[in-house]
Amino acid sequence: MSAATHAPMDLVAIRPQAGTQAFFRHRQVGEHVLVTNFEGNFLLLTQAEFTRYATGSVAPDSELFTRLSSANFLRASYDVRKAAEAVKARRGFLHAGPNLHILVVTLRCNETCIYCHASRANMDRVDTDMSKETAEKAVELALRSTSPFITIEFQGGEPLVNFAVVRHVCEYAGRRARELGKQLQFTMVSNFSLMDDEKLAFLVAHRVQLCTSIDGPEQLHNAQRKLPTMDAHQRAVHWIRKINQRYIDMGLDPTLYHVEALLTTTAASLPLWRQIVDTYVSLGCKALFLRPIDPFGFADRTRLRLEYPRSAYLEFYRNAVDYMLELNRQGVQILERYAGIFLTKILRGEDPNFLDLRSPAGAGIGQLAYNYDGKIFSCDEGRMLHEMGDSRFLLGDVRTSSYRDLVGHETVRAMVLASNLDGQPDCVNCTYQPYCGTISTFNYKNQGSIFGRMRESSVCAVHKGIQDYLFEKLAARDPHVLATFERWTTHRPREHFVQEPTSSPTTSAPPVQSPAEP
Amino acid sequence: MQSSYPDIPAGLVAHDLTDAAVELRVDPAIYPLQAVYGAAYIFIDRCYVFLDRPAADALRVTLTAKSGQADVGALRALIGEFANELISCAWRHQITQDNRVLLETVTLQAIAGAMGPPSLDDLASFDFSDQGFDDPLGIAMSWEEKHGKKPPPATTSEPTGDTTGDTTGNPTSGHGVEEPTP
Amino acid sequence: MTEPAFIDLRFDRSLYAGPAIDEAVKVFAAHGEFHMSEETDTWVVKLRALRPGPARTRRLAHELANYALGLTVQRGGA
Ligand code: SF4
């Protein structure tokens, strides 16, 4: 049931009285009032409790007083040190540089996807292949990051098209990381249609974590991701099963080691929430990320066909996650990643460092994207905008830029400022501010400035809608749901994907985590 | 220019259909100039934007749609979006001032955390001759420059009266030019 | 054929930076004829496009004003 079906609270009648409360923000969630404080603690109060809190009439010997006090909502007992520790824990990511380095090894792709436009080229465009020399320079920059853990993500186009460079990077970066004492992992996003046994043997031997795209059931997938043979889904599924079996044969735990699949939610996906979840479960996936489509990489005309109102998306989200919770109740383990990210922040007070959903966001300070020609961008969306003719997020070139030039670039500084929710109208007053994030490139593309306007932003609408849903579930206190949420925030490291032990590990913290694998 | 839109108070907005232009009067007591600049800048890809002061206590923003789309609805939508951006910029201006320390601290930490200390290669390629080298504490100055060499005695044995030790003539500069930013 | 007419662009000195206007005029110099003057509160740029047509002169004025505003904002204001 959505929050809108409950009668709104009569705020005027409350006559709030300042004085006893510490700083807080509030929002009605179903029949409850959610309050959050500066450092991100939350309480779900009944309307009567909220009235007592807002009017400063909570009896000191009451249970409510104890609850408010221990969550740091009262001025008299406000524990500054505890608050500072909590903020530090939430913003731990500020102390290290980019950990995600996206290598676009080619723009060429053998599939034609209806939503992909600017980030692909036809198969004869060999001029859009990254050279080994460019790749080595990109790796050297990536390994200069102050982050002790580096992930190199192979992207395209279709990275298997330029497999020689993928192979070279795995060998070169692996060796350099060992020399430099960095922990390194590789991931690859591929449609698998050009996979063969030899390539797979190399990728598995080099511990490359494999991800693919699955748009849902076969018919939908093949209609959206077109191969001349019209069998994109069959090919992807064939390799998913084969790779998952390979992990089992190697003695790896299949709940942790399996192909990750990524969904692109188009208008056609919305009525198919159940089939999409079922497809993912049947493929052995333990996670599904219900991300709405974003405006990068395709023409405006295409966009009109694929886009949908955010309210339709939120209904899709609620239906799909309700269904996933029901499956979990029956013993099937499947998690929704958006929920996992938000719940980790809400329930654990930690930040899982998802780069598009933190404050400030990760562009430039958490990730860098290296294009096939050596140009470097703050993020992959910035690179896509460049392919569409707008180079606003171009930071430098592997041949001429130093690492410090890139992360200290004025564009990066501006993006850090713009994506800090403490400076953002609306967010400063939003109850969800401690858990939220904004995306500068999205704001820029849609609203003309890297700041954007949250009231009119579809990303904000999605963030609000998802958090409303999660807090409604938390308020309902269904023990099964709470247990599932608890599992969704339990992180288990995927150590197998970390490259061979380094000569001098910088820290013992686990680098690669499977966000909340069950 | 023709006025006006029924949903906007009289005299605030007017449009000119021949020129695909629409103008908005802004009260500078409500909207700081920096907010007007901010909103205007965001529109220069879609519009020709012109600012002027039709009266001492008013600012006027004129937007001419580059698309040439000149129907009343399109111009109404344009000025509406501008007004939304303007209020957003004005509020952000205020928040940025209120939260300045927090925002600067986080930005500084983020960039410093990502950059790390300079390597020897970085230092080797650093241009120390840069004109913009900022030396508020006068560390790079010679003793004489910093504290002022006593000029040679004048023809008489009277003291010159120059005891400030300040080459710039600014009596405070010995303490650094500014307070450090918090 | 008659010469294209001049139009006056009057930039308020409290809103536009003088150097930004100078720079903008330099950038568009090849496209028009410009005469600059100063009044107490305004920078005045009298201009017309080199190629005939009132629409061209208007477009030139618009582009010049946008450019000057962009530079003014980048400088942090007038
Ligand atoms: S982006 Fe939206 S939901 Fe998130 S903090 Fe800002 S206003 Fe709230």
Side-chain angles (χ1 to χ4, degrees):
Chain A
M1 205 188 302
S2 83
T5 56
H6 295 276
M9 189 170 37
D10 186 0
L11 277 175
V12 179
I14 289 181
R15 305 236 168 270
Q17 210 178 328
T20 57
Q21 315 89 346
F23 172 83
F24 74 99
R25 308 171 175 104
H26 75 281
R27 180 177 177 86
Q28 184 163 9
V29 173
E31 287 169 341
H32 288 78
V33 182
L34 171 70
V35 287
T36 62
N37 68 1
F38 175 71
E39 66 265 31
N41 296 341
F42 79 92
L43 288 175
L44 283 152
L45 305 177
T46 62
Q47 301 218 2
E49 287 172 334
F50 178 73
T51 305
R52 268 183 278 150
Y53 177 53
T55 52
S57 56
V58 182
D61 55 353
S62 65
E63 178 273 337
L64 176 61
F65 188 93
T66 316
R67 232 182 324 141
L68 287 164
S69 175
S70 57
N72 233 6
F73 277 88
L74 295 178
R75 180 171 292 198
S77 56
Y78 193 73
D79 187 337
V80 177
R81 213 161 52 94
K82 213 163 95 183
E85 288 298 319
V87 171
K88 211 167 131 195
R90 284 188 186 280
R91 290 212 158 138
F93 55 76
L94 288 181
H95 296 271
N99 61 313
L100 176 62
H101 298 264
I102 295 168
L103 255 61
V104 177
V105 293
T106 180
L107 287 189
R108 292 194 286 153
C109 185
N110 60 327
E111 278 187 2
T112 315
C113 300
I114 55 168
Y115 36 72
C116 182
H117 172 71
S119 56
R120 78 174 289 283
N122 288 335
M123 288 296 278
D124 55 356
R125 291 285 310 277
V126 283
D127 57 307
T128 70
D129 284 358
M130 184 180 267
S131 70
K132 287 183 183 171
E133 184 216 358
T134 299
E136 282 184 13
K137 290 197 155 73
V139 167
E140 288 299 335
L141 282 168
L143 293 174
R144 278 277 282 119
S145 172
T146 51
S147 172
F149 315 119
I150 303 294
T151 297
I152 291 179
E153 181 171 300
F154 298 110
Q155 271 214 25
E158 167 50 52
L160 290 179
V161 170
N162 191 8
F163 193 67
V165 164
V166 171
R167 184 189 288 268
H168 181 69
V169 168
C170 287
E171 287 161 352
Y172 181 81
R175 178 163 52 76
R176 291 293 290 138
R178 276 191 295 279
E179 287 165 10
L180 296 167
K182 290 270 186 193
Q183 294 213 24
L184 174 67
Q185 73 160 346
F186 299 111
T187 63
M188 177 192 275
V189 183
S190 162
N191 62 37
F192 289 166
S193 61
L194 296 172
M195 184 69 89
D196 58 37
D197 287 325
E198 194 199 331
K199 288 183 186 125
L200 180 61
F202 178 89
L203 293 167
V204 169
H206 283 78
R207 301 167 185 257
V208 179
Q209 184 177 4
L210 297 166
C211 306
T212 192
S213 299
I214 292 289
D215 286 358
E218 186 179 313
Q219 211 186 355
L220 175 64
H221 185 100
N222 287 343
Q224 295 190 157
R225 307 183 61 92
K226 293 190 175 132
L227 278 177
T229 45
M230 289 307 286
D231 61 348
H233 190 263
Q234 288 88 327
R235 289 195 200 201
V237 167
H238 166 79
W239 285 104
I240 290 175
R241 295 202 196 286
K242 193 159 178 165
I243 295 163
N244 287 351
Q245 187 56 47
R246 180 73 55 89
Y247 290 143
I248 292 173
D249 296 343
M250 290 164 72
L252 296 170
D253 175 358
T255 63
L256 203 51
Y257 296 99
H258 48 260
V259 173
E260 288 284 341
L262 304 165
L263 177 76
T264 303
T265 313
T266 62
S269 324
L270 300 183
L272 298 178
W273 48 270
R274 185 186 291 271
Q275 291 90 326
I276 289 171
V277 174
D278 286 340
T279 304
Y280 272 68
V281 169
S282 75
L283 291 174
C285 297
K286 305 293 173 202
L288 173 51
F289 198 164
L290 299 174
R291 289 193 90 172
I293 201 162
D294 66 27
F296 299 100
F298 50 79
D300 287 344
R301 207 156 26 92
T302 318
R303 182 167 164 190
L304 289 178
R305 191 155 44 91
L306 300 171
E307 270 261 71
Y308 34 80
R310 295 296 115 153
S311 56
Y313 165 82
L314 286 169
E315 196 187 319
F316 161 82
Y317 184 88
R318 284 171 172 264
N319 285 332
V321 181
D322 273 349
Y323 180 51
M324 289 161 95
L325 288 170
E326 186 49 41
L327 288 175
N328 275 279
R329 195 187 296 264
Q330 293 165 16
V332 177
Q333 298 197 333
I334 179 92
L335 84 87
E336 200 289 306
R337 262 198 213 290
Y338 250 136
I341 294 164
F342 278 123
L343 288 167
T344 303
K345 300 183 191 220
I346 294 166
L347 299 175
R348 300 210 173 240
E350 295 163 8
D351 199 298
N353 201 14
F354 182 69
L355 301 170
D356 284 350
L357 197 50
R358 50 172 239 197
S359 165
I365 53 168
Q367 66 170 308
L368 290 169
Y370 307 78
N371 212 0
Y372 67 90
D373 56 0
K375 292 204 162 55
I376 307 168
F377 298 86
S378 58
C379 51
D380 200 37
E381 290 77 13
R383 179 192 66 81
M384 286 190 215
L385 280 174
H386 167 80
E387 296 293 349
M388 295 163 89
D390 185 341
S391 302
R392 185 63 57 120
F393 301 97
L394 174 64
L395 305 180
D397 190 292
V398 294
R399 284 163 284 265
T400 49
S401 304
S402 78
Y403 168 75
R404 284 163 58 89
D405 289 344
L406 299 170
V407 295
H409 196 280
E410 58 184 9
T411 300
V412 174
R413 254 181 291 153
M415 291 172 93
V416 170
L417 260 174
S419 62
N420 187 334
L421 302 185
D422 287 317
Q424 185 69 260
D426 232 24
C427 302
V428 285
N429 292 338
C430 178
T431 317
Y432 298 140
Q433 198 254 33
Y435 321 121
C436 213
T438 177
I439 310 166
S440 302
T441 42
F442 183 94
N443 297 338
Y444 175 76
K445 172 94 172 81
N446 285 281
Q447 295 178 326
S449 84
I450 54 173
F451 293 94
R453 297 188 302 275
M454 290 310 108
R455 270 288 140 162
E456 300 167 76
S457 155
S458 58
V459 168
C460 169
V462 164
H463 290 175
K464 273 204 183 93
I466 292 177
Q467 291 178 89
D468 277 344
Y469 172 82
L470 295 174
F471 277 107
E472 280 168 37
K473 292 285 173 201
L474 288 170
R477 308 188 129 266
D478 176 332
H480 280 290
V481 171
L482 295 184
T484 304
F485 279 2
E486 197 59 33
R487 265 207 319 276
W488 285 6
T489 63
T490 309
H491 293 246
R492 292 162 64 200
R494 280 178 174 152
E495 276 151 1
H496 173 75
F497 287 133
V498 184
Q499 297 300 298
E500 284 299 301
T502 55
S503 51
S504 56
T506 324
T507 151
S508 60
V512 191
Q513 297 196 320
S514 115
E517 288 302 331
Chain B
M1 285 274 174
Q2 276 203 344
S3 287
S4 195
Y5 295 95
D7 58 334
I8 300 177
L12 279 186
V13 173
H15 62 250
D16 176 351
L17 292 183
T18 357
D19 207 18
V22 59
E23 62 181 47
L24 171 72
R25 278 173 89 104
V26 175
D27 183 344
I30 300 175
Y31 298 100
L33 183 55
Q34 289 302 329
V36 178
Y37 280 143
Y41 193 75
I42 286 168
F43 275 71
I44 59 177
D45 59 342
R46 279 168 273 178
C47 296
Y48 298 113
V49 187
F50 193 76
L51 307 179
D52 67 344
R53 287 188 196 275
D57 60 348
L59 264 170
R60 180 168 51 194
V61 182
T62 307
L63 304 176
T64 308
K66 284 186 184 176
S67 67
Q69 222 190 346
D71 61 283
V72 177
L75 292 177
R76 170 70 187 85
L78 192 61
I79 208 68
E81 210 191 322
F82 184 86
N84 278 2
E85 189 61 56
L86 182 59
I87 200 157
S88 184
C89 287
W91 190 11
R92 183 175 311 109
H93 182 71
Q94 182 61 44
I95 294 164
T96 307
Q97 286 179 343
D98 295 348
N99 288 355
R100 187 174 202 104
V101 175
L102 193 57
L103 294 170
E104 282 179 354
T105 310
V106 169
T107 307
L108 196 69
Q109 179 59 63
I111 301 292
M115 284 177 90
S119 67
L120 287 177
D121 287 347
D122 294 324
L123 288 174
S125 56
F126 187 78
D127 180 9
F128 286 100
S129 68
D130 190 351
Q131 288 297 309
F133 183 64
D134 198 11
D135 184 25
L137 299 176
I139 292 163
M141 284 183 191
S142 71
W143 181 260
E144 283 82 2
E145 277 174 319
K146 198 168 173 181
H147 295 281
K149 202 172 175 177
K150 290 251 172 10
T155 45
T156 69
S157 60
E158 283 296 297
T160 61
D162 177 10
T163 55
T164 62
D166 179 8
T167 52
T168 64
N170 173 355
T172 66
S173 68
H175 304 287
V177 177
E178 281 178 313
E179 284 295 297
T181 326
Chain C
M1 202 162 62
T2 53
E3 286 281 296
F6 279 98
I7 55 177
D8 279 358
L9 264 178
R10 305 176 66 80
F11 295 100
D12 190 294
R13 294 172 78 140
S14 69
L15 300 173
Y16 290 86
I21 295 166
D22 289 344
E23 185 62 33
V25 169
K26 268 189 225 147
V27 166
F28 291 97
H31 302 282
E33 187 183 337
F34 301 88
H35 301 283
M36 295 160 77
S37 57
E38 276 179 54
E39 290 172 12
T40 323
D41 297 326
T42 23
W43 314 101
V44 184
V45 181
K46 195 184 213 12
L47 65 100
R48 69 176 170 197
L50 289 184
R51 309 234 313 264
R56 280 185 192 281
T57 295
R58 243 197 345 264
R59 166 100 192 268
L60 184 63
H62 279 319
E63 294 287 356
L64 178 93
N66 252 20
Y67 202 86
L69 178 63
L71 287 180
T72 299
V73 174
Q74 278 165 17
R75 295 168 62 93

